[in-house]
Amino acid sequence: MGRVIDMMWRVIDWPFKLVGVLLIQIYRYTLSAFVGRTCRHAPTCSEYTRDAIWQHGFWPGGWMGLARVVRCRPGGTHGYDPVPVVVPERAHWFAPWTYGSWK
């Protein structure tokens, strides 16, 4: 039963992944030049969000990316910060803020 639900979730998530990644790519090649390239992390926040969406799906990856953008501010974190390989154990779909690291 779990395999059927996983397959159904992948089919439902696929169009959202594509649209999310497409919007990020459009931002990276158009608006990013006007906003300025001031990300304090490697990979950049847009690359991190794109990779998180591809690896973990639209909902968890989007929240991971939002948490990363919040951390990318003066006084926030900086340096190398890759996308986690697995979704945190404490993360649940009904509590989306648990997907990202907000520190």
Side-chain angles (χ1 to χ4, degrees), residues 46-97:
S46 58
E47 291 172 339
Y48 180 93
T49 305
R50 180 196 62 202
D51 295 344
I53 288 173
W54 271 128
Q55 288 179 17
H56 302 297
F58 181 75
W59 187 253
W63 281 97
M64 287 178 186
L66 179 64
R68 168 69 177 276
V69 169
V70 169
R71 291 192 319 259
C72 191
R73 59 175 165 48
T77 60
H78 62 280
Y80 182 65
D81 182 23
V83 176
V85 177
V86 296
V87 175
E89 289 183 19
R90 62 178 173 29
H92 301 288
W93 68 269
F94 54 84
W97 56 88

Side-chain angles (χ1 to χ4, degrees), residues 8-25:
M8 187 174 69
W9 176 248
R10 285 188 206 142
V11 169
I12 291 170
D13 192 45
W14 182 250
F16 292 104
K17 275 185 179 182
L18 287 177
V19 169
V21 169
L22 178 67
L23 289 174
I24 291 170
Q25 290 297 98

Side-chain angles (χ1 to χ4, degrees), residues 28-63:
R28 289 187 67 212
Y29 292 111
T30 58
L31 296 175
S32 177
F34 297 113
V35 173
R37 300 174 193 265
T38 58
C39 190
R40 303 163 45 97
H41 295 96
T44 65
C45 294
S46 58
E47 291 172 339
Y48 180 93
T49 305
R50 180 196 62 202
D51 295 344
I53 288 173
W54 271 128
Q55 288 179 17
H56 302 297
F58 181 75
W59 187 253
W63 281 97

